[in-house]
Amino acid sequence: MRMYGYLKEPYKCNSTTTIYKVMIHQIEEIGTYIYYYTSKDAIFSSYDSFVDDIKTALEEFEDEIDEQGWIQIDKPLPYCQHDCILPIRVKGRKDGSPQWGQYEILSNGHWIEYNL
């Protein structure tokens, strides 16, 4: 299960980093990841943390998510980035020869090049 939400008030982590959006990703029998995004329209997270269960993750952001609330999204497709809302994967990852830093996105049933 994955869900994301925008913070009511951006959270300033330090003098250069502000968090605007978070995603909670529960992975059965493993635990829950929290992904942190440093812009409202960020595609990939900048940071992440891990907690044992979803309850802990939700408690961390109780009363912090804006009026839209949590937005549920599907589990990531195979080989896709877990922290990405869109179906994006590293080129070649499926074939065992990843081209790090190069991405592709699923569009109309076809994988096409994706440039950041």
Side-chain angles (χ1 to χ4, degrees), residues 38-85:
T38 55
S39 74
K40 291 180 183 179
D41 55 351
I43 299 296
F44 298 103
S45 67
S46 297
Y47 307 97
D48 64 53
S49 63
F50 181 83
V51 294
D52 290 330
D53 57 58
I54 194 164
K55 181 180 176 191
T56 301
L58 290 170
E59 286 172 353
E60 184 173 335
F61 296 100
E62 191 172 336
D63 299 324
E64 300 297 325
I65 300 300
D66 73 9
E67 66 279 349
Q68 295 178 75
W70 289 106
I71 300 164
Q72 300 276 334
I73 57 175
D74 293 331
K75 291 181 181 180
L77 295 174
Y79 306 103
C80 285
Q81 302 298 113
H82 290 193
D83 66 333
C84 190
I85 295 167

Side-chain angles (χ1 to χ4, degrees), residues 2-114:
R2 294 189 308 166
M3 62 179 133
Y4 71 94
Y6 295 91
L7 299 178
K8 288 178 187 174
E9 295 293 325
Y11 177 75
K12 194 149 180 75
C13 300
N14 55 43
S15 62
T16 60
T17 305
T18 303
I19 303 299
Y20 293 89
K21 172 174 63 175
V22 296
M23 179 191 292
I24 294 177
H25 180 200
Q26 180 185 30
I27 302 174
E28 298 295 324
E29 300 175 12
I30 293 176
T32 302
Y33 283 92
I34 304 170
Y35 302 112
Y36 304 89
Y37 301 83
T38 55
S39 74
K40 291 180 183 179
D41 55 351
I43 299 296
F44 298 103
S45 67
S46 297
Y47 307 97
D48 64 53
S49 63
F50 181 83
V51 294
D52 290 330
D53 57 58
I54 194 164
K55 181 180 176 191
T56 301
L58 290 170
E59 286 172 353
E60 184 173 335
F61 296 100
E62 191 172 336
D63 299 324
E64 300 297 325
I65 300 300
D66 73 9
E67 66 279 349
Q68 295 178 75
W70 289 106
I71 300 164
Q72 300 276 334
I73 57 175
D74 293 331
K75 291 181 181 180
L77 295 174
Y79 306 103
C80 285
Q81 302 298 113
H82 290 193
D83 66 333
C84 190
I85 295 167
L86 305 172
I88 293 176
R89 66 184 185 188
V90 171
K91 281 186 178 181
R93 186 175 233 170
K94 180 181 182 239
D95 304 321
S97 56
Q99 299 171 36
W100 303 111
Q102 296 183 36
Y103 299 96
E104 51 191 6
I105 186 169
L106 186 62
S107 177
N108 296 320
H110 300 285
W111 290 99
I112 59 172
E113 185 170 342
Y114 180 79

